[in-house]
Amino acid sequence: TGDSDVKVFGVRCTYGVIENLLVIGDIAMADAGDSNLGIGIAGQYALAGLLGELPVDLAVRLGYATYDVSEFSDAGAVQLMVTASKKIEAVDGLAVYGGVGAAFWLVDGADTSIILDVGVTYGLGAVVENLSMYGEVMFLTGDAPDMGLGLGLGAVYAF
């Protein structure tokens, strides 16, 4: 449809499997007119040191997400992204990030979507160790379900 505005509220857990490799799990409620449950899992590999000294941290993420689980209508997608992040040294716990990638929709007739996202995280280590909050804006192109501008807010717990 190309014009949906989606608000997403969720929880993300991350687990460091080995150095530079994270497993990420998401569960969220999306409100695109109706509330829909979404779940996702991804692997993210940090490219630390592979490209020399850079002013940002780069990573590659591969994942799968599905939506409308409560209605058993799978609007799933395989996602591939490159992300960049940077800690803001002036504010302890604050970081910004952005990414670009593609969503390969597993829905009949849906085109591949381009993903653009930017966000901010703030670590709450002084209150709860390993807990942070995030907010992000994501834009998805194409004609698959819930395309357009997405706003996300949630909590991240790192194991």
Side-chain angles (χ1 to χ4, degrees):
T1 59
D3 59 1
S4 293
D5 288 338
V6 181
K7 294 172 279 309
V8 178
F9 305 95
V11 175
R12 174 175 291 158
C13 292
T14 62
Y15 179 73
V17 178
I18 58 172
E19 185 175 355
N20 296 334
L21 181 62
L22 289 176
V23 172
I24 302 165
D26 291 317
I27 186 166
M29 289 299 293
D31 181 12
D34 297 322
S35 290
N36 297 306
L37 180 66
I39 58 172
I41 188 161
Q44 179 171 299
Y45 187 77
L47 302 174
L50 295 178
L51 303 173
E53 283 296 314
L54 297 174
V56 296
D57 296 322
L58 293 177
V60 176
R61 180 184 299 179
L62 178 64
Y64 174 78
T66 185
Y67 307 94
D68 299 333
V69 174
S70 61
E71 298 173 14
F72 303 105
S73 65
D74 185 9
V78 174
Q79 301 170 343
L80 178 62
M81 293 191 68
V82 175
T83 63
S85 61
K86 174 84 173 155
K87 291 180 181 176
I88 305 300
E89 300 299 330
V91 180
D92 191 35
L94 184 66
V96 294
Y97 63 90
V100 62
F104 304 96
W105 293 94
L106 306 176
V107 178
D108 288 339
D111 293 333
T112 298
S113 298
I114 301 299
I115 305 169
L116 302 172
D117 79 330
V118 294
V120 62
T121 62
Y122 183 72
L124 302 173
V127 178
V128 177
E129 191 174 347
N130 298 333
L131 182 65
S132 61
M133 299 297 295
Y134 73 92
E136 72 180 18
V137 176
M138 180 180 286
F139 183 75
L140 299 169
T141 66
D143 62 355
D146 299 333
M147 293 297 97
L149 185 65
L151 305 173
L153 177 64
V156 178
Y157 190 81
F159 288 93

